[in-house]
Amino acid sequence: MKLAENVLRRFIFGKPVQTILFVGERNRDASAVAELLLNHYSAIAVKEGKQPVRASSAGIWAEEGLGISTRAAAFLASRGIDSGAFRSRKFREQMCDENQLTITLDMGVKGMLLFKKPEAVIYTFSEYSLMGADISKASELDDSEYARTMEELAEMTERTNKRASRNVTY
């Protein structure tokens, strides 16, 4: 019965996601990396004639206008992605309305957003990508753990891109 219900929901309600908002704490590490990676994948999709999924990001405690962290910039540069133009943004409730899907980096942030915006479509990154664990306080990780976390985040972003471009908003 559950399978039939899911197929019916997908048929009736499913549609490709065109915009995703990633929300973390400070918007200088993981949420920023997810935004830039997803937008990189979108640029590739456009070249291949596919529908892109656009991303933005914010932080619940972000300071407006700060650049990405040095380690995040180095990780992205190793993948050929320039992060020099990135600037952090503080989360505002209307951002959920401006995007079809909001993905938080951990359950704590998701709880805060659901309290502020209970009608929004909000998942944690691990829930939506169907892998991994919550990513919180990436800036506090040692270098080896940070590198491992960013590799996992990159895989989660790739899976999110594939899932969103197919049609899963619920």
Side-chain angles (χ1 to χ4, degrees):
M1 181 65 174
K2 185 72 171 164
L3 178 61
E5 178 182 317
N6 285 339
V7 170
L8 185 59
R9 284 184 76 187
R10 187 176 207 165
F11 178 72
I12 295 172
F13 301 112
K15 63 183 180 205
V17 176
Q18 295 175 338
T19 57
I20 295 176
L21 172 68
F22 291 102
V23 182
E25 292 181 358
R26 307 251 182 245
N27 194 218
R28 297 194 62 219
D29 272 293
S31 59
V33 169
E35 172 190 341
L36 294 170
L37 278 172
L38 190 59
N39 286 334
H40 175 73
Y41 299 147
S42 289
I44 294 169
V46 168
K47 289 178 185 175
E48 295 173 349
K50 297 177 183 173
Q51 179 68 33
V53 179
R54 302 281 181 206
S56 58
S57 65
I60 54 173
W61 296 301
E63 291 182 51
E64 289 280 341
L66 297 178
I68 199 165
S69 75
T70 304
R71 293 192 298 178
F75 173 76
L76 290 166
S78 73
R79 293 173 172 262
I81 301 170
D82 179 22
S83 60
F86 178 84
R87 294 294 173 255
S88 61
R89 298 186 321 153
K90 183 160 181 63
F91 173 79
R92 293 179 316 281
E93 289 179 36
Q94 76 245 25
M95 290 175 166
C96 289
D97 298 329
E98 296 165 358
N99 292 277
Q100 292 173 295
L101 178 63
T102 299
I103 295 179
T104 66
L105 280 274
D106 65 50
M107 189 58 79
V109 174
K110 179 182 178 179
M112 287 182 204
L113 297 191
L114 284 172
F115 181 76
K116 292 179 179 202
K117 199 75 176 163
E119 70 280 7
V121 179
I122 302 173
Y123 288 87
T124 65
F125 213 173
S126 58
E127 287 172 336
Y128 195 79
S129 66
L130 303 173
M131 70 163 285
D134 283 357
I135 299 172
S136 62
K137 301 186 185 346
S139 63
E140 297 175 10
L141 300 173
D142 67 41
D143 288 344
S144 65
E145 189 65 20
Y146 184 88
R148 187 195 65 71
T149 298
M150 288 299 115
E151 288 297 332
E152 185 173 318
L153 182 140
E155 188 175 343
M156 292 167 80
T157 305
E158 194 169 339
R159 290 177 73 149
T160 293
N161 182 49
K162 288 176 183 172
R163 184 173 182 198
S165 63
R166 279 195 303 263
N167 69 353
V168 186
T169 57
Y170 50 84

